[in-house]
């Protein structure tokens, strides 16, 4: 069995093939337009089941179409608002002597049940002569909502350019991680040993006076220790530091077991192999939401132009690739 492309429940969005929207809300329901088994990279199975499309291929397309329907609903209302499946309707392009329409549609029902649970849903499937793009199957559905949607009740969303904004922490982390940034090791010498953490929120603030900033989680137990030093080292990590970065971000173990460093007279710890060293003093600390913005005044700096910086993007660490 081929599993449908998915991230959590759904798949990356595909562009509608006509003058319509993928899904709309009316009252406490979501109506999802017909979706075939195509993805962003594949048109899906084409042809007639029982002729040039096998039964297994038709089932795989039904699974992918169901995943596409779920994704369209999620993008409109958010996963946390998507309730039970009320009704699903399928259109199957089949040879004249093909009669196992329901068995093909069962594959779509399994995807829906695995994703949403529930006590079952109403369903219909009919055979047709043709479908958009030559697809073998198209599926549409109606879902119930667990809570009202802003701009619902038959009205368009407040801004159709955007999907519904989710404030769940994991969703926000994925959203914010789409901004590529460097990674800094923020370290100091405390009680005869280095203490430090990795941050991806380093920002240049001012030239006169020279100021930079970082953001730290208010629940961090490392930052209060690092901040006790007279001065703090900010090392912009290079592409050779992926393992060190993960260790600096870990909650357990010796974060500096694989690192080499230097310590300034005022207690700033600077990591060897970095692209940039900054020796800083805390200028200000402002609590905003669940993080604090820490403004640092740069006292000394050293640039290592030959080092390629490490990049954090889409929740992954990546080397900076330069093309000519």
């Amino acid at each position: 069995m081929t599993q449908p492309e998915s991230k959590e429940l759904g798949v990356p969005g595909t562009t509608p093939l006509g003058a319509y929207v993928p899904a709309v809300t009316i009252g406490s329901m979501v109506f999802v337009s017909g979706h075939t088994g195509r993805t962003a990279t594949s048109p899906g199975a084409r042809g007639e089941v029982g002729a040039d499309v096998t039964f297994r291929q038709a089932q795989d397309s039904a699974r992918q179409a169901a995943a596409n329907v779920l994704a369209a609903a999620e993008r409109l209302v958010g996963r946390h608002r998507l309730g039970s499946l009320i009704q699903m309707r399928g259109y199957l392009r089949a040879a004249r002597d093909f009669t196992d329409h329901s068995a093909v549609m069962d594959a779509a029902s399994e995807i829906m049940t695995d994703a949403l649970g529930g006590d079952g849903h109403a369903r219909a499937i009919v055979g047709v002569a043709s479908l958009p793009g030559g697809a073998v199957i198209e599926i549409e559905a109606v879902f119930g909502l667990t809570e009202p949607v802003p701009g619902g009740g038959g009205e368009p969303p407040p801004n159709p350019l955007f999907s519904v904004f989710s404030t769940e922490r994991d969703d926000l982390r994925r959203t914010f991680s789409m901004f590529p940034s460097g990674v800094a090791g923020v370290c100091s010498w405390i009680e005869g040993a280095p203490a430090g953490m990795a941050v991806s929120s380093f920002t240049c603030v001012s030239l006169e006076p020279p100021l930079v900033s970082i953001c730290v989680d208010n629940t961090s137990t490392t930052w209060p220790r690092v901040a006790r030093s007279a001065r703090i080292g900010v090392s912009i990590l290079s592409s050779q530091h992926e393992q060190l970065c993960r260790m600096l971000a870990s909650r357990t173990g010796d974060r500096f077991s694989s690192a080499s460093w230097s310590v300034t007279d005022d207690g700033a710890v600077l990591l060897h192999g970095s692209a940039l060293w900054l020796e800083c003093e805390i200028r200000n600390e402002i609590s905003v939401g669940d993080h604090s913005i820490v403004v640092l005044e740069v006292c000394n700096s050293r640039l290592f132009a030959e080092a390629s910086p490490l990049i954090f993007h889409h929740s992954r660490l990546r080397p900076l690739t330069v093309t000519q």
Side-chain angles (χ1 to χ4, degrees):
M1 179 180 75
T2 301
Q3 293 295 327
E5 289 187 18
S6 64
K7 183 175 182 182
E8 297 178 350
L9 288 182
V11 298
T14 54
T15 304
L17 296 178
Y20 63 93
V21 293
V24 297
T25 61
I26 298 179
S28 61
M29 294 185 292
V30 185
F31 293 78
V32 181
S33 301
H35 284 68
T36 66
R38 72 188 182 106
T39 68
T41 57
S42 170
R46 296 180 176 184
E48 291 184 342
V49 60
D52 40 1
V53 175
T54 67
F55 177 76
R56 180 64 59 84
Q57 289 172 326
Q59 282 191 314
D60 289 342
S61 287
R63 294 186 184 97
Q64 185 63 60
N68 289 346
V69 166
L70 281 167
E74 283 187 354
R75 285 193 297 273
L76 181 64
V77 303
R79 176 66 185 92
H80 60 292
R81 292 192 181 94
L82 192 61
S84 61
L85 174 64
I86 297 173
Q87 183 185 56
M88 182 167 59
R89 183 179 293 109
Y91 305 91
L92 184 67
R93 190 178 173 198
R96 285 178 176 271
D97 58 349
F98 184 82
T99 58
D100 289 336
H101 298 63
S102 292
V104 173
M105 196 64 169
D106 283 342
S109 290
E110 290 168 2
I111 292 294
M112 296 291 188
T113 301
D114 288 346
L116 300 176
D119 298 325
H121 51 270
R123 194 184 81 179
I125 183 168
V126 295
V128 296
S130 66
L131 286 170
V136 67
I137 193 169
E138 180 175 309
I139 293 173
E140 61 185 46
V142 180
F143 298 90
L145 291 173
T146 59
E147 60 181 73
V149 176
E155 297 296 324
N159 191 334
L161 294 177
F162 295 93
S163 59
V164 172
F165 179 61
S166 171
T167 56
E168 294 182 8
R169 289 183 67 90
D170 289 344
D171 291 339
L172 285 174
R173 286 182 187 277
R174 283 192 293 270
T175 298
F176 293 160
S177 75
M178 292 306 295
F179 177 73
S181 66
V183 185
V186 180
C187 312
S188 64
W189 190 260
I190 301 295
E191 298 176 352
M197 58 199 294
V199 301
S200 60
S201 54
F202 173 85
T203 304
C204 300
V205 175
S206 169
L207 296 177
E208 296 181 8
L211 301 175
V212 298
S213 71
I214 59 172
C215 292
V216 296
D217 195 313
N218 290 337
T219 63
S220 171
T221 57
T222 301
W223 171 245
R225 295 182 61 231
V226 172
R228 286 161 48 193
S229 177
R231 289 187 177 178
I232 296 170
V234 176
S235 303
I236 303 303
L237 302 185
S238 70
S239 56
Q240 72 181 51
H241 284 144
E242 182 170 344
Q243 180 182 3
L244 174 59
C245 179
R246 297 185 188 282
M247 295 181 69
L248 288 174
S250 68
R251 296 181 180 274
T252 59
D254 182 359
R255 297 182 180 183
F256 292 86
S257 61
S258 66
S260 58
W261 66 86
S262 296
V263 185
T264 69
D265 293 340
D266 292 307
V269 172
L270 302 165
L271 302 172
H272 294 175
S274 297
L276 174 67
W277 282 350
L278 299 175
E279 185 183 21
C280 303
E281 293 180 354
I282 298 176
R283 180 75 170 267
N284 199 1
E285 189 167 340
I286 308 162
S287 180
V288 182
D290 57 10
H291 278 62
S292 290
I293 302 171
V294 183
V295 180
L296 303 170
E297 183 165 358
V298 179
C299 304
N300 289 298
S301 68
R302 183 174 177 181
L303 173 68
F304 302 92
E306 72 281 0
S308 177
L310 186 66
I311 303 299
F312 180 73
H313 176 244
H314 205 184
S315 301
R316 292 179 57 189
L317 295 169
R318 310 168 188 265
L320 178 65
T321 302
V322 179
T323 58
Q324 299 297 329

